[in-house]
Amino acid sequence: MKIGLDIMGGDYAPKAAVLGAIEAYKVLSDHTLVLIGDKEAALSILRENDFNPDKFEYVHTTEVIGMGEHPTKAVVQKPDSSISVGFKLLKEGQIDAFSSAGNTGAMLVGSMFSVKAIPGILRPAITTIVPRVKGGIGILLDVGANADCKPEVLLQFGVLGSLMAQHVYGIENPRVALMNIGEEEEKGNLLCQATYPLMKETSQFNFIGNAEGRDLFGDMADVFVCDGFTGNIILKLAESFYVITRKKGLKDDFFDRFNYEQYGGSPILGVNAPVIVGHGISSPEAIKNMVLLSKDMVESELVAKMTKAFQ
């Protein structure tokens, strides 16, 4: 397996990305990590850390897509950027997965323009992990790819989330819930009211009804579905829990699990290859876990299983 890593993406690139690659190498066994970006910068960081550069493969690039750049324009106007080249390699099958802590919009655009959406999927979704109070995890999607959604798109998110929960995290017959403002069937905005009957009637996943915000960290469901606007607000709020507890001097195992570093990145589900988007402030630990998540997605053959589900 060859895993592509954009070493130019993120606020602390390339150093954090290269140091994260070193940590990932220690647990990758026989798999190969391909560093995409400024090769000389990478070699310099590796030498500073007494690491054998022959352990990695390199694809040198000369351009970088900044965090604030317009995604579509940047991908088109910077063909030799680390993100653009990464997707070219992914499309050509030279790497099996691609991850970056760079511009999220550019990663979405690159996914749609290069490897493209799986046939039948209306909109790809970005997922995140939700820790449970009593242990274990849940999955929340979408958390930012689609601010506005139609009911049939949310229905597909339920399928995507269920497949990921089952095949990447080993959850049998995942319970799927629709995020709403009440548990009753008729509750919610127009989108939720129109989505509920579609989910209730589907045989593609195990729908258990509406979930409220207070249900998110309990054991009610394994997959929580919402539009990207709602999901991103929930995600940013949840990320603040870890920071707040630290600032208040509180040490708690549950809140420690809100540390984004533990999960590394968020998969873009619904495209024809494993793609992971990392946090812009990704540390070496987060980069390492992003690479390991890439490995898990390839090994689970999740893309093939999603393709089959939408045939």
Side-chain angles (χ1 to χ4, degrees), residues 128-204:
T128 193
I129 295 300
V130 178
R132 290 176 177 158
V133 174
K134 295 183 179 179
I137 61 165
I139 295 172
L140 174 69
L141 76 165
D142 177 32
V143 293
N146 308 279
D148 296 296
C149 293
K150 295 181 178 179
E152 54 268 30
V153 172
L154 292 190
L155 178 68
Q156 290 193 349
F157 289 171
V159 178
L160 295 174
S162 180
L163 288 169
M164 183 173 184
Q166 182 179 352
H167 297 294
V168 177
Y169 295 108
I171 301 172
E172 286 300 320
N173 195 28
R175 298 160 297 169
V176 179
L178 176 65
M179 289 301 298
N180 209 328
I181 59 170
E183 62 182 25
E184 297 84 3
E185 185 171 341
E186 67 276 3
K187 281 290 182 73
N189 56 14
L190 293 175
L191 174 61
C192 289
Q193 290 176 18
T195 301
Y196 192 103
L198 296 181
M199 290 189 168
K200 185 178 179 181
E201 294 166 9
T202 189
S203 60
Q204 291 181 287

Side-chain angles (χ1 to χ4, degrees), residues 72-138:
T72 306
K73 289 181 180 179
V75 169
V76 173
Q77 295 172 1
K78 292 185 173 180
D80 200 45
S81 67
S82 50
I83 287 179
S84 298
V85 171
F87 278 112
K88 180 174 181 291
L89 296 172
L90 189 63
K91 180 181 179 181
E92 294 173 352
Q94 295 186 51
I95 56 177
D96 300 295
F98 179 50
S99 57
S100 171
N103 186 308
T104 300
M107 290 294 286
L108 280 165
V109 170
S111 296
M112 294 298 288
F113 281 6
S114 60
V115 292
K116 296 183 168 47
I118 292 169
I121 289 183
L122 300 170
R123 296 280 187 90
I126 298 179
T127 70
T128 193
I129 295 300
V130 178
R132 290 176 177 158
V133 174
K134 295 183 179 179
I137 61 165

Side-chain angles (χ1 to χ4, degrees), residues 34-39 57-61 85 89 94-95:
V34 182
L35 306 189
I36 305 165
D38 187 332
K39 182 178 179 179
E57 291 186 9
Y58 306 87
V59 176
H60 181 67
T61 63
V85 171
L89 296 172
Q94 295 186 51
I95 56 177

